[in-house]
Amino acid sequence: MNYKLTIIVPVYNEEENLERVEKELSSYLKIATVPTAVLFVNDGSKDKSQTMIEAICNRNDAFDFVLFKENRGLSAAIKAGFDYADTELVGYIDSDLQTSPEDFNILLEHIDQNELVTGVRADRKDSFVKNMSSKIANGIRRAFTKDGMDDTGCPLKIIKTDYAKRIPMFRGLHRFLPAMIMLQNGRVTQVPVRHFPRIAGTAKFGVWNRLLGPLMDCFAYLWMKKKYINYDVAKTSK
């Protein structure tokens, strides 16, 4: 089948969520507005996640996986998804399913006019501490990047793949995807999406890496922005 969108699903010790992930993504594929495939990226899970992922892929033709030898972090998992995707578009959703795959259809309505469309979690169902730390982190990042995005931590995005593959990823850069698309002179926009409480599993980020981590990453982004190489080819004989 000629798929147009690949949904990347990073996984790290999510055995309690994977049955629901299979159910909800399988349901979404039936109503997706473009032909869609799913790519699990197992970030070196220590639980039964890989066994479950392989069973899911064996049952579903549209599902594939990449398994890391060891845990490398969320940014590495997203980069691997970009590297292995061979569709025109790539999407991204967390395996905790605090956002709904159905809302990819909302993002797809805007992708023709943009190179990246990101969700903004409306009425977030997280703790006060988590919400406040994310709000502060987003404010710090916005001050550094000037990207105008309110919620880059929202785990629901769609990007044109040729732009995604050109992003020079480093650890923590998943928070800067809109800014990195803008460095390529790409257009970005944000649209509200639904948000739900985490039902199973545990969050992988605490207050420390929601605040101090993003602050340190902002300096890495500024260095990269200064050194970033961008060009447009006018003509070639190749």
Side-chain angles (χ1 to χ4, degrees), residues 1 5 8 37 52 58 62 67 78-79 88 93 103 107 126 129 144 170 178 180 182 185 187 194 201-202 218:
M1 185 173 180
L5 168 66
I8 301 163
M52 298 179 70
N58 287 335
L67 170 63
I78 294 173
K79 173 174 170 47
E88 177 183 339
I93 190 170
D103 288 347
L107 305 189
D126 285 323
V129 172
F144 275 82
F170 60 82
M180 295 307 298
M182 292 172 69
N185 298 320
R187 300 161 295 176
R194 295 170 292 171
T202 57
C218 283

Side-chain angles (χ1 to χ4, degrees), residues 123-135:
D123 190 22
R124 286 187 63 173
K125 301 298 191 297
D126 285 323
S127 67
F128 173 79
V129 172
K130 187 174 180 180
N131 284 338
M132 285 305 298
S133 60
S134 292
K135 185 175 182 179

